Amino acid sequence: MKCMCWICWESAKLQYEVGDWQVIDCSACGRYFISRQLMQENVGKTLDVKATRQLIVDAVCAGVIPAISDGTAYFTSSRKHVV
């Protein structure tokens, strides 16, 4: 299913959902899990693209699933995206 990437806001694919988690596949950012609750609690905030992409790369290199949650999310200041 087509959707927007939570990181870079480009076109992406929602692969599937498991509980609170969405699995997003973005051609620019890669495949990652993201907590829907995290994004609902942080409406109006924008993820830091560079830091979040690095999180994904580091997780893949370590052989673990890239997951964006309370403990791993990097937000920018107050820039907002129109949804």
Side-chain angles (χ1 to χ4, degrees):
M1 168 188 289
K2 287 193 174 212
C3 68
M4 291 178 73
C5 176
W6 285 105
I7 302 167
C8 68
W9 291 87
E10 295 297 324
S11 181
K13 278 183 145 179
L14 172 62
Q15 294 294 325
Y16 56 91
E17 296 178 318
V18 177
D20 178 47
W21 298 94
Q22 289 184 332
V23 180
I24 306 291
D25 193 3
C26 172
S27 60
C29 298
R31 181 178 284 187
Y32 59 91
F33 280 64
I34 190 162
S35 166
R36 287 186 294 188
Q37 181 178 355
L38 170 76
M39 297 315 293
Q40 289 170 352
E41 290 173 354
N42 291 283
V43 171
K45 292 184 180 179
T46 303
L47 287 167
D48 181 303
V49 175
K50 185 176 178 181
T52 307
R53 284 180 176 170
Q54 188 61 52
L55 168 81
I56 293 170
V57 168
D58 292 346
V60 170
C61 288
V64 297
I65 297 169
I68 303 166
S69 64
D70 285 338
T72 60
Y74 296 99
F75 290 99
T76 60
S77 52
S78 61
R79 194 175 68 199
K80 295 183 180 181
H81 287 285
V82 178
V83 182

Coordinates of all heavy atoms in Angstrom, one line a residue:
M1 N 0.8 -1.2 0.0 CA 0.0 0.0 0.0 C 0.9 1.2 0.0 O 1.9 1.3 0.8 CB -0.9 0.0 1.2 CG -1.6 1.3 1.5 SD -2.5 1.4 3.1 CE -3.8 0.3 2.8
K2 N 0.6 2.2 -0.8 CA 1.4 3.4 -0.9 C 1.1 4.3 0.3 O 0.0 4.4 0.8 CB 1.0 4.2 -2.2 CG 1.6 3.6 -3.4 CD 1.5 4.5 -4.6 CE 2.3 3.9 -5.7 NZ 2.9 4.8 -6.6
C3 N 2.1 5.0 0.8 CA 2.0 5.9 1.9 C 3.2 6.9 1.8 O 3.9 6.9 0.8 CB 2.1 5.1 3.2 SG 3.7 4.4 3.6
M4 N 3.3 7.7 2.8 CA 4.5 8.6 2.8 C 5.4 8.2 3.9 O 5.0 7.7 4.9 CB 4.0 10.1 3.2 CG 3.1 10.7 2.1 SD 2.5 12.3 2.5 CE 4.0 13.2 2.4
C5 N 6.7 8.4 3.6 CA 7.8 8.0 4.6 C 7.7 9.0 5.7 O 7.6 10.2 5.6 CB 9.1 8.1 3.9 SG 10.5 7.8 5.0
W6 N 7.7 8.4 7.0 CA 7.7 9.2 8.2 C 9.0 10.0 8.3 O 9.0 11.0 9.1 CB 7.5 8.4 9.4 CG 6.1 7.8 9.6 CD1 5.7 6.6 9.3 CD2 5.0 8.5 10.0 NE1 4.4 6.4 9.6 CE2 3.9 7.7 10.0 CE3 4.7 9.9 10.4 CZ2 2.6 8.0 10.4 CZ3 3.4 10.2 10.8 CH2 2.4 9.3 10.8
I7 N 10.0 9.7 7.6 CA 11.3 10.3 7.8 C 11.5 11.5 6.8 O 11.8 12.6 7.2 CB 12.5 9.3 7.7 CG1 12.3 8.2 8.7 CG2 13.8 10.0 7.8 CD1 13.2 7.0 8.5
C8 N 11.4 11.2 5.5 CA 11.7 12.2 4.5 C 10.4 12.7 3.8 O 10.5 13.6 2.9 CB 12.7 11.6 3.5 SG 12.0 10.3 2.4
W9 N 9.3 12.1 4.1 CA 8.0 12.6 3.5 C 7.9 12.3 2.0 O 7.1 12.9 1.3 CB 7.7 14.0 3.9 CG 7.4 14.1 5.3 CD1 8.3 14.2 6.3 CD2 6.1 13.9 6.0 NE1 7.7 14.2 7.6 CE2 6.3 14.0 7.4 CE3 4.8 13.7 5.5 CZ2 5.3 13.9 8.3 CZ3 3.8 13.6 6.4 CH2 4.1 13.7 7.8
E10 N 8.7 11.4 1.4 CA 8.6 11.0 0.0 C 7.7 9.8 0.0 O 7.3 9.3 1.0 CB 10.0 10.7 -0.5 CG 10.9 11.9 -0.6 CD 10.5 13.0 -1.5 OE1 9.9 12.7 -2.6 OE2 10.7 14.1 -1.2
S11 N 7.3 9.5 -1.2 CA 6.4 8.3 -1.4 C 7.1 7.0 -1.0 O 8.3 6.9 -1.2 CB 6.1 8.2 -2.9 OG 5.3 7.1 -3.2
A12 N 6.4 6.2 -0.3 CA 6.9 4.9 0.3 C 5.9 3.9 0.2 O 4.7 4.1 -0.3 CB 7.4 5.2 1.7
K13 N 6.2 2.7 0.7 CA 5.2 1.6 0.8 C 5.1 1.2 2.2 O 6.0 1.0 2.9 CB 5.8 0.4 0.0 CG 5.5 0.4 -1.5 CD 6.1 -0.9 -2.1 CE 5.2 -1.3 -3.2 NZ 5.7 -2.5 -3.8
L14 N 3.8 1.0 2.6 CA 3.5 0.4 3.9 C 3.5 -1.1 3.7 O 2.6 -1.6 3.0 CB 2.1 0.9 4.4 CG 1.6 0.2 5.7 CD1 2.5 0.4 6.9 CD2 0.2 0.7 6.0
Q15 N 4.5 -1.8 4.2 CA 4.6 -3.2 4.0 C 3.6 -4.0 4.8 O 2.8 -4.8 4.2 CB 6.0 -3.7 4.3 CG 7.1 -3.2 3.4 CD 7.0 -3.7 2.0 OE1 6.6 -4.8 1.8 NE2 7.3 -2.8 1.1
Y16 N 3.5 -3.7 6.1 CA 2.5 -4.3 6.9 C 2.5 -3.7 8.3 O 3.4 -2.8 8.6 CB 2.7 -5.9 7.1 CG 4.0 -6.3 7.6 CD1 4.3 -6.5 8.9 CD2 5.1 -6.5 6.7 CE1 5.5 -6.9 9.4 CE2 6.3 -6.9 7.1 CZ 6.6 -7.1 8.5 OH 7.8 -7.5 8.9
E17 N 1.5 -4.0 9.1 CA 1.4 -3.5 10.5 C 1.4 -4.7 11.4 O 0.7 -5.7 11.2 CB 0.2 -2.6 10.6 CG 0.2 -1.4 9.8 CD -1.1 -0.6 9.9 OE1 -2.2 -1.1 9.9 OE2 -0.9 0.7 10.0
V18 N 2.0 -4.5 12.6 CA 2.0 -5.5 13.6 C 1.9 -4.8 14.9 O 2.8 -4.0 15.3 CB 3.4 -6.3 13.6 CG1 3.4 -7.3 14.8 CG2 3.6 -7.0 12.3
G19 N 0.7 -4.9 15.6 CA 0.5 -4.2 16.8 C 0.6 -2.7 16.6 O 0.0 -2.1 15.8
D20 N 1.5 -2.1 17.4 CA 1.7 -0.6 17.3 C 2.7 -0.3 16.2 O 2.8 0.9 15.9 CB 2.3 -0.2 18.7 CG 2.6 1.3 18.7 OD1 1.8 2.1 18.2 OD2 3.7 1.7 19.1
W21 N 3.3 -1.2 15.5 CA 4.3 -1.0 14.6 C 3.9 -1.0 13.1 O 3.1 -1.8 12.7 CB 5.4 -2.0 14.7 CG 6.1 -2.0 16.1 CD1 5.7 -2.7 17.2 CD2 7.1 -1.1 16.5 NE1 6.5 -2.4 18.2 CE2 7.4 -1.4 17.8 CE3 7.9 -0.1 15.8 CZ2 8.4 -0.7 18.6 CZ3 8.8 0.6 16.6 CH2 9.1 0.3 17.9
Q22 N 4.4 0.0 12.4 CA 4.2 0.0 10.9 C 5.6 -0.4 10.3 O 6.6 0.1 10.8 CB 3.8 1.3 10.4 CG 2.4 1.7 10.7 CD 2.0 3.0 10.1 OE1 2.8 3.9 9.9 NE2 0.7 3.2 9.8
V23 N 5.6 -1.1 9.3 CA 6.8 -1.4 8.5 C 6.8 -0.6 7.2 O 5.9 -0.9 6.4 CB 7.0 -2.9 8.3 CG1 8.3 -3.2 7.5 CG2 7.0 -3.7 9.6
I24 N 7.7 0.3 7.1 CA 7.7 1.2 6.0 C 8.9 0.9 5.1 O 10.0 0.7 5.6 CB 7.8 2.7 6.4 CG1 6.7 3.0 7.4 CG2 7.8 3.6 5.2 CD1 5.3 3.1 6.8
D25 N 8.7 0.9 3.8 CA 9.8 0.7 2.9 C 9.9 1.9 2.0 O 9.1 2.2 1.1 CB 9.6 -0.6 2.0 CG 10.8 -1.0 1.3 OD1 11.9 -0.4 1.4 OD2 10.7 -2.0 0.5
C26 N 11.0 2.7 2.2 CA 11.2 4.0 1.4 C 12.5 3.8 0.6 O 13.5 3.3 1.1 CB 11.4 5.1 2.4 SG 11.9 6.7 1.6
S27 N 12.4 4.2 -0.7 CA 13.6 4.0 -1.6 C 14.8 4.8 -1.1 O 15.9 4.5 -1.3 CB 13.2 4.3 -3.0 OG 12.8 5.7 -3.1
A28 N 14.5 6.0 -0.4 CA 15.6 6.8 0.0 C 16.1 6.5 1.4 O 17.3 6.6 1.7 CB 15.2 8.3 0.0
C29 N 15.2 6.1 2.3 CA 15.6 5.8 3.7 C 15.8 4.4 4.1 O 16.4 4.0 5.0 CB 14.5 6.4 4.7 SG 14.3 8.2 4.5
G30 N 15.2 3.5 3.3 CA 15.3 2.0 3.6 C 14.0 1.5 4.3 O 13.0 2.2 4.4
R31 N 14.1 0.3 4.7 CA 13.0 -0.3 5.4 C 13.2 -0.2 6.9 O 14.3 -0.5 7.4 CB 12.9 -1.8 5.1 CG 11.7 -2.5 5.7 CD 11.6 -3.9 5.3 NE 11.1 -4.0 4.0 CZ 10.7 -5.1 3.4 NH1 10.8 -6.3 4.0 NH2 10.2 -5.1 2.2
Y32 N 12.1 0.2 7.6 CA 12.2 0.4 9.0 C 10.9 0.2 9.7 O 9.8 0.2 9.1 CB 12.7 1.8 9.4 CG 11.8 2.9 8.8 CD1 10.8 3.5 9.5 CD2 12.1 3.4 7.5 CE1 10.0 4.5 9.0 CE2 11.3 4.4 7.0 CZ 10.2 4.9 7.7 OH 9.4 5.9 7.2
F33 N 10.9 -0.1 11.0 CA 9.7 -0.2 11.8 C 9.6 1.1 12.5 O 10.5 1.8 12.9 CB 9.9 -1.3 12.9 CG 9.7 -2.7 12.5 CD1 10.5 -3.3 11.5 CD2 8.6 -3.4 13.0 CE1 10.3 -4.6 11.2 CE2 8.4 -4.7 12.6 CZ 9.3 -5.3 11.7
I34 N 8.3 1.6 12.7 CA 8.1 2.8 13.4 C 6.8 2.7 14.2 O 5.8 2.1 13.8 CB 8.0 4.1 12.4 CG1 8.0 5.4 13.2 CG2 6.8 3.9 11.5 CD1 8.3 6.6 12.4
S35 N 6.9 3.2 15.4 CA 5.8 3.1 16.4 C 4.7 4.2 16.0 O 5.0 5.4 15.9 CB 6.3 3.4 17.8 OG 5.2 3.7 18.7
R36 N 3.5 3.7 15.8 CA 2.4 4.6 15.5 C 2.1 5.5 16.7 O 1.8 6.7 16.6 CB 1.1 3.8 15.1 CG 1.2 3.2 13.7 CD 0.0 2.6 13.3 NE -0.3 1.5 14.1 CZ -1.2 0.6 13.9 NH1 -2.1 0.7 13.0 NH2 -1.4 -0.5 14.7
Q37 N 2.2 4.9 17.9 CA 2.0 5.7 19.1 C 3.0 6.9 19.2 O 2.6 8.0 19.6 CB 2.0 4.8 20.4 CG 1.8 5.6 21.6 CD 1.8 4.7 22.9 OE1 2.0 3.5 22.8 NE2 1.7 5.3 24.0
L38 N 4.2 6.6 18.9 CA 5.2 7.7 18.9 C 4.8 8.8 18.0 O 4.9 10.0 18.4 CB 6.6 7.1 18.4 CG 7.7 8.1 18.2 CD1 8.2 8.6 19.5 CD2 8.8 7.6 17.3
M39 N 4.4 8.5 16.8 CA 4.0 9.5 15.8 C 2.8 10.3 16.3 O 2.7 11.5 16.1 CB 3.9 9.0 14.4 CG 5.2 8.4 13.9 SD 6.7 9.4 14.2 CE 6.4 10.8 13.2
Q40 N 1.8 9.6 16.9 CA 0.6 10.2 17.4 C 0.9 11.1 18.5 O 0.3 12.2 18.7 CB -0.4 9.2 17.8 CG -1.0 8.4 16.7 CD -1.8 7.2 17.1 OE1 -1.9 6.8 18.3 NE2 -2.5 6.6 16.1
E41 N 1.9 10.8 19.4 CA 2.2 11.6 20.5 C 3.1 12.8 20.1 O 3.3 13.7 20.9 CB 3.0 10.8 21.6 CG 2.1 9.7 22.3 CD 2.9 8.8 23.2 OE1 4.2 8.9 23.2 OE2 2.3 8.0 23.9
N42 N 3.6 12.8 18.9 CA 4.5 13.9 18.5 C 4.0 14.5 17.2 O 4.8 14.9 16.3 CB 5.9 13.3 18.3 CG 6.6 12.9 19.5 OD1 7.1 13.7 20.3 ND2 6.6 11.6 19.9
V43 N 2.7 14.7 17.1 CA 2.1 15.3 16.0 C 2.7 16.7 15.8 O 2.8 17.5 16.8 CB 0.6 15.4 16.1 CG1 -0.1 16.3 15.1 CG2 0.0 14.0 16.1
G44 N 3.1 17.1 14.6 CA 3.6 18.4 14.4 C 5.1 18.5 14.4 O 5.8 19.4 14.0
K45 N 5.7 17.4 15.0 CA 7.2 17.3 15.0 C 7.7 16.6 13.8 O 7.0 15.7 13.2 CB 7.7 16.6 16.2 CG 7.4 17.4 17.5 CD 8.0 16.6 18.7 CE 7.8 17.3 20.0 NZ 8.4 16.6 21.1
T46 N 8.9 16.9 13.3 CA 9.5 16.3 12.2 C 10.7 15.5 12.6 O 11.6 16.0 13.3 CB 9.9 17.3 11.1 OG1 8.7 18.1 10.8 CG2 10.4 16.7 9.9
L47 N 10.8 14.3 12.1 CA 12.1 13.5 12.4 C 13.2 14.1 11.6 O 13.1 14.6 10.5 CB 11.9 12.0 11.9 CG 10.9 11.2 12.8 CD1 10.6 9.9 12.0 CD2 11.6 10.9 14.1
D48 N 14.4 14.1 12.3 CA 15.6 14.6 11.7 C 16.1 13.5 10.7 O 16.4 12.4 11.0 CB 16.7 14.7 12.8 CG 18.0 15.2 12.2 OD1 18.6 14.6 11.3 OD2 18.5 16.3 12.7
V49 N 16.0 13.9 9.4 CA 16.3 13.0 8.3 C 17.7 12.3 8.4 O 17.8 11.1 8.4 CB 16.1 13.6 6.9 CG1 16.5 12.7 5.8 CG2 14.7 14.1 6.8
K50 N 18.7 13.1 8.5 CA 20.1 12.6 8.6 C 20.3 11.7 9.7 O 20.8 10.6 9.6 CB 21.1 13.8 8.6 CG 22.5 13.4 8.5 CD 23.4 14.6 8.5 CE 24.9 14.2 8.5 NZ 25.8 15.3 8.5
A51 N 19.9 12.1 10.9 CA 20.1 11.3 12.1 C 19.3 10.0 12.1 O 19.8 8.9 12.5 CB 19.7 12.1 13.4
T52 N 18.1 10.1 11.6 CA 17.2 8.9 11.5 C 17.7 7.9 10.4 O 17.7 6.7 10.7 CB 15.8 9.3 11.3 OG1 15.4 10.2 12.2 CG2 14.9 8.1 11.4
R53 N 18.2 8.4 9.3 CA 18.7 7.5 8.3 C 20.0 6.8 8.8 O 20.2 5.6 8.5 CB 19.1 8.3 7.0 CG 17.8 8.6 6.2 CD 18.2 9.4 5.0 NE 17.0 9.6 4.1 CZ 17.0 10.4 3.1 NH1 18.1 11.0 2.7 NH2 15.9 10.5 2.4
Q54 N 20.8 7.5 9.6 CA 22.0 6.9 10.2 C 21.6 5.8 11.2 O 22.3 4.8 11.2 CB 22.9 8.0 10.9 CG 24.2 7.5 11.3 CD 25.1 7.0 10.2 OE1 25.3 7.6 9.2 NE2 25.5 5.7 10.3
L55 N 20.5 6.1 11.9 CA 20.0 5.0 12.9 C 19.7 3.8 12.1 O 20.0 2.7 12.5 CB 18.8 5.6 13.6 CG 18.0 4.5 14.3 CD1 18.6 4.3 15.7 CD2 16.5 5.0 14.5
I56 N 19.1 3.9 10.9 CA 18.7 2.8 10.1 C 19.9 2.0 9.6 O 20.0 0.8 9.7 CB 17.8 3.2 8.9 CG1 16.4 3.7 9.5 CG2 17.6 2.1 7.9 CD1 15.5 4.4 8.5
V57 N 20.9 2.8 9.1 CA 22.1 2.2 8.6 C 22.9 1.4 9.7 O 23.3 0.3 9.5 CB 23.1 3.3 8.0 CG1 24.5 2.7 7.7 CG2 22.4 3.8 6.7
D58 N 23.0 2.1 10.9 CA 23.7 1.4 12.0 C 23.0 0.1 12.4 O 23.6 -0.9 12.7 CB 23.7 2.4 13.2 CG 24.7 3.6 12.9 OD1 25.4 3.6 12.0 OD2 24.6 4.5 13.7
A59 N 21.7 0.2 12.4 CA 20.9 -1.0 12.8 C 21.1 -2.2 11.8 O 21.4 -3.3 12.2 CB 19.4 -0.7 13.0
V60 N 21.1 -1.8 10.5 CA 21.3 -2.9 9.5 C 22.7 -3.4 9.6 O 22.9 -4.7 9.5 CB 21.0 -2.3 8.1 CG1 21.4 -3.2 7.0 CG2 19.5 -1.9 8.0
C61 N 23.7 -2.6 9.8 CA 25.1 -3.0 9.9 C 25.3 -3.9 11.1 O 26.1 -4.8 11.1 CB 26.0 -1.8 10.0 SG 26.2 -1.0 8.4
A62 N 24.5 -3.7 12.2 CA 24.6 -4.5 13.4 C 23.7 -5.8 13.3 O 23.8 -6.6 14.2 CB 24.1 -3.7 14.6
G63 N 23.0 -5.9 12.2 CA 22.2 -7.1 12.0 C 20.9 -7.1 12.8 O 20.3 -8.2 13.1
V64 N 20.4 -5.9 13.2 CA 19.1 -5.8 13.9 C 18.1 -5.0 13.1 O 18.5 -4.3 12.1 CB 19.3 -5.2 15.3 CG1 20.2 -6.0 16.2 CG2 19.8 -3.8 15.2
I65 N 16.9 -5.1 13.4 CA 15.8 -4.5 12.7 C 15.8 -3.0 13.1 O 15.8 -2.7 14.3 CB 14.4 -5.1 13.0 CG1 14.4 -6.5 12.6 CG2 13.3 -4.3 12.4 CD1 13.2 -7.3 13.1
P66 N 15.8 -2.1 12.1 CA 15.8 -0.7 12.4 C 14.4 -0.3 13.0 O 13.4 -0.5 12.3 CB 16.0 0.0 11.1 CG 16.4 -1.0 10.1 CD 16.0 -2.3 10.7
A67 N 14.3 0.2 14.2 CA 13.1 0.5 14.8 C 13.1 1.9 15.4 O 14.0 2.2 16.2 CB 12.7 -0.5 15.9
I68 N 12.2 2.7 15.0 CA 12.1 4.1 15.5 C 11.0 4.1 16.6 O 9.8 3.9 16.3 CB 11.8 5.1 14.4 CG1 12.8 4.9 13.3 CG2 11.7 6.5 14.9 CD1 12.5 5.6 12.0
S69 N 11.5 4.4 17.8 CA 10.6 4.4 19.0 C 10.9 5.6 19.9 O 11.8 6.4 19.5 CB 10.7 3.1 19.7 OG 12.0 3.0 20.3
D70 N 10.3 5.7 21.1 CA 10.7 6.7 22.0 C 12.2 6.9 22.3 O 12.7 8.0 22.3 CB 10.0 6.5 23.4 CG 8.5 6.8 23.3 OD1 8.1 7.5 22.5 OD2 7.8 6.2 24.2
G71 N 12.8 5.8 22.4 CA 14.3 5.8 22.7 C 15.2 6.1 21.6 O 16.4 6.3 21.8
T72 N 14.7 6.0 20.3 CA 15.6 6.1 19.2 C 15.3 7.3 18.3 O 16.0 7.6 17.4 CB 15.6 4.8 18.4 OG1 14.3 4.5 17.9 CG2 16.1 3.6 19.2
A73 N 14.1 7.9 18.5 CA 13.7 9.0 17.6 C 14.5 10.3 17.8 O 14.7 10.7 18.9 CB 12.2 9.3 17.8
Y74 N 14.9 10.9 16.7 CA 15.5 12.2 16.7 C 14.6 13.2 15.9 O 14.4 13.0 14.7 CB 16.9 12.1 15.9 CG 17.9 11.2 16.6 CD1 18.1 9.9 16.1 CD2 18.6 11.7 17.6 CE1 19.0 9.1 16.7 CE2 19.6 10.8 18.2 CZ 19.8 9.6 17.7 OH 20.7 8.7 18.3
F75 N 14.1 14.2 16.6 CA 13.2 15.2 16.0 C 14.0 16.5 15.8 O 14.9 16.8 16.6 CB 12.0 15.4 16.9 CG 11.1 14.3 17.0 CD1 11.1 13.4 18.1 CD2 10.1 14.1 16.0 CE1 10.2 12.3 18.1 CE2 9.2 13.0 16.0 CZ 9.3 12.1 17.1
T76 N 13.6 17.2 14.7 CA 14.1 18.5 14.5 C 13.3 19.5 15.4 O 12.4 19.1 16.1 CB 14.0 19.0 13.0 OG1 12.6 18.9 12.7 CG2 14.8 18.0 12.1
S77 N 13.6 20.8 15.3 CA 12.9 21.7 16.1 C 11.4 21.8 15.9 O 10.7 20.9 16.2 CB 13.5 23.1 16.0 OG 13.6 23.5 14.7
S78 N 10.9 22.8 15.2 CA 9.4 22.9 15.1 C 8.9 22.9 13.7 O 7.8 23.3 13.5 CB 9.0 24.2 15.8 OG 9.6 25.3 15.2
R79 N 9.7 22.5 12.7 CA 9.3 22.5 11.4 C 8.1 21.5 11.2 O 8.2 20.4 11.7 CB 10.4 22.1 10.5 CG 10.2 22.4 9.0 CD 11.4 22.1 8.2 NE 11.6 20.7 8.2 CZ 12.8 20.1 7.9 NH1 13.8 20.9 7.6 NH2 12.9 18.8 7.9
K80 N 7.1 21.9 10.5 CA 5.9 21.0 10.3 C 5.7 20.7 8.8 O 6.1 21.4 8.0 CB 4.7 21.7 10.8 CG 4.7 21.9 12.3 CD 3.4 22.5 12.8 CE 3.4 22.7 14.3 NZ 2.1 23.3 14.7
H81 N 5.2 19.5 8.6 CA 4.8 19.1 7.3 C 3.2 19.2 7.2 O 2.6 18.8 8.1 CB 5.2 17.6 7.0 CG 6.6 17.5 6.8 ND1 7.3 17.8 5.6 CD2 7.6 17.0 7.6 CE1 8.5 17.6 5.7 NE2 8.8 17.1 6.9
V82 N 2.8 19.6 6.0 CA 1.3 19.6 5.8 C 0.9 18.2 5.4 O 1.5 17.7 4.4 CB 1.0 20.6 4.7 CG1 -0.5 20.6 4.5 CG2 1.4 22.0 5.2
V83 N 0.0 17.6 6.0 CA -0.5 16.3 5.7 C -1.8 16.3 5.0 O -2.7 17.1 5.3 CB -0.6 15.4 7.0 CG1 -1.0 14.0 6.6 CG2 0.7 15.4 7.7

